[in-house]
Amino acid sequence: MTGRELALVGAPNARDLGGLVAAGGRRVRAGVLLRTPALGRLTDEDLPVLAKLMPACVVDLRDATEAVVAPPDRLPGEPRVIHLPVYDVAHPVFTYVSAVLLGHDLSAYAELAQEGTPAAMRSIYRWFVTGESARAGYGAAVRLAAEAANLPLLYHCSAGKDRTGWLTAVLLHALGVDEATIRADYLANNALTESLREVLLAGMRRRSPELDVTAVRPVLEVRDEYLDAGYDEARRVYGSFGSYLRDGLGVDDELVAALRARLLE
């Protein structure tokens, strides 16, 4: 089972994590954890759909340099917006994904394409585990999710698949959701964004006929190997995913108990 799709035209991979089976057979409450891409492309018809969910807090995992060149988020109501940038200038994948989504020239990323974008994506997921801003941002986001005043909590990055996907994995592990269910929700991105992905690639081919689509496609997808790179790094550095939560992110037993009290039925 994966999270329930929110049916937002401008955010096709947005979903509510409610209903997933967690610790002790309890389920994640509906309408409390919402994972989305950046919301600048929501249509007018999307806004009332999102308004019904009434997010109290929006966590934006993008760096200011990414957000400033993207359409501003369209948010109904006046949710609390918190910026927790999970970003490293040394990893050009972040700006590459934004450039692809915005239809910008990709000539500046020749070195990345030469390295191999799947390898670069695996590197990013390892950095999610060890990077200072990644650990700070993810730890802070988990603490926000444990506070009733922040619920429903909506969180996003640019495409809503990598940084958002890893935060989802962190939250669901803390809630006691099994790894197979977490993986299924993570991989659901590909089917949900297939049409958008092909439109983006077709547009890029028209603008740049010489473009190597095989170098672009991996950054528009999620893959088992990316998630596994993060898992492997957590176990290599911390010994287990639970120890990563505790020692890397500060998600101790007290915080886990608070999360489960707030977020599980």
Side-chain angles (χ1 to χ4, degrees):
M1 180 180 178
T2 64
R4 180 174 60 86
E5 297 169 37
L6 298 183
L8 298 174
V9 174
N13 57 341
R15 48 204 187 271
D16 174 356
L17 298 176
L20 299 182
V21 178
R26 299 167 69 187
R27 291 182 181 270
V28 180
R29 287 171 53 201
V32 294
L33 289 178
L34 311 172
R35 57 168 297 177
T36 75
L39 300 174
R41 291 183 174 81
L42 292 187
T43 66
D44 290 344
E45 291 73 22
D46 288 333
L47 294 179
V49 176
L50 186 57
K52 287 180 182 178
L53 296 165
M54 296 185 296
C57 181
V58 173
V59 171
D60 188 341
L61 300 171
R62 297 175 298 174
D63 185 69
T65 58
E66 299 174 275
V68 74
V69 298
D73 277 357
R74 302 189 71 188
L75 296 169
E78 296 183 358
R80 180 186 181 199
V81 178
I82 298 178
H83 296 274
L84 297 174
V86 175
Y87 180 85
D88 184 3
V89 70
H91 285 280
V93 163
F94 293 122
T95 50
Y96 184 85
V97 171
S98 295
V100 170
L101 293 175
L102 296 169
H104 291 173
D105 178 26
L106 298 181
S107 60
Y109 299 93
E111 187 175 334
L112 174 62
Q114 186 175 4
E115 172 194 355
T117 43
M121 294 299 293
R122 293 192 298 272
S123 175
I124 283 292
Y125 278 71
R126 289 191 290 269
W127 177 84
F128 287 164
V129 173
T130 57
E132 185 175 348
S133 75
R135 290 189 297 108
Y138 288 135
V142 174
R143 288 187 286 277
L144 288 171
E147 299 175 14
N150 296 323
L151 302 178
L153 179 74
L154 184 153
Y155 56 94
H156 73 76
C157 52
S158 289
K161 65 185 184 70
D162 300 309
R163 286 170 287 187
T164 296
W166 188 253
L167 176 55
T168 300
V170 165
L171 286 165
L172 294 182
H173 271 284
L175 293 174
V177 176
D178 69 83
E179 195 168 304
T181 300
I182 294 171
R183 187 179 296 271
D185 178 77
Y186 170 79
L187 292 173
N189 174 85
N190 288 344
L192 293 173
T193 60
E194 182 177 6
S195 295
L196 173 62
R197 190 163 57 249
E198 296 310 316
V199 167
L200 287 170
L201 290 170
M204 294 169 69
R205 286 190 198 99
R206 286 194 300 271
R207 289 191 301 273
S208 305
E210 76 286 355
L211 180 72
D212 181 7
V213 171
T214 60
V216 180
R217 189 177 293 278
V219 303
L220 295 177
E221 298 175 341
V222 294
R223 296 183 177 182
D224 282 301
E225 65 183 284
Y226 305 163
L227 187 62
D228 287 337
Y231 280 152
D232 290 346
E233 187 74 351
R235 291 159 184 152
R236 183 188 72 81
V237 175
Y238 294 99
S240 68
F241 201 90
S243 295
Y244 157 65
L245 292 180
R246 184 185 66 244
D247 301 330
L249 303 182
V251 182
D252 57 18
D253 290 345
E254 182 178 356
L255 181 52
V256 167
L259 286 166
R260 294 182 180 184
R262 299 285 187 207
L263 302 176
L264 300 183
E265 295 177 343

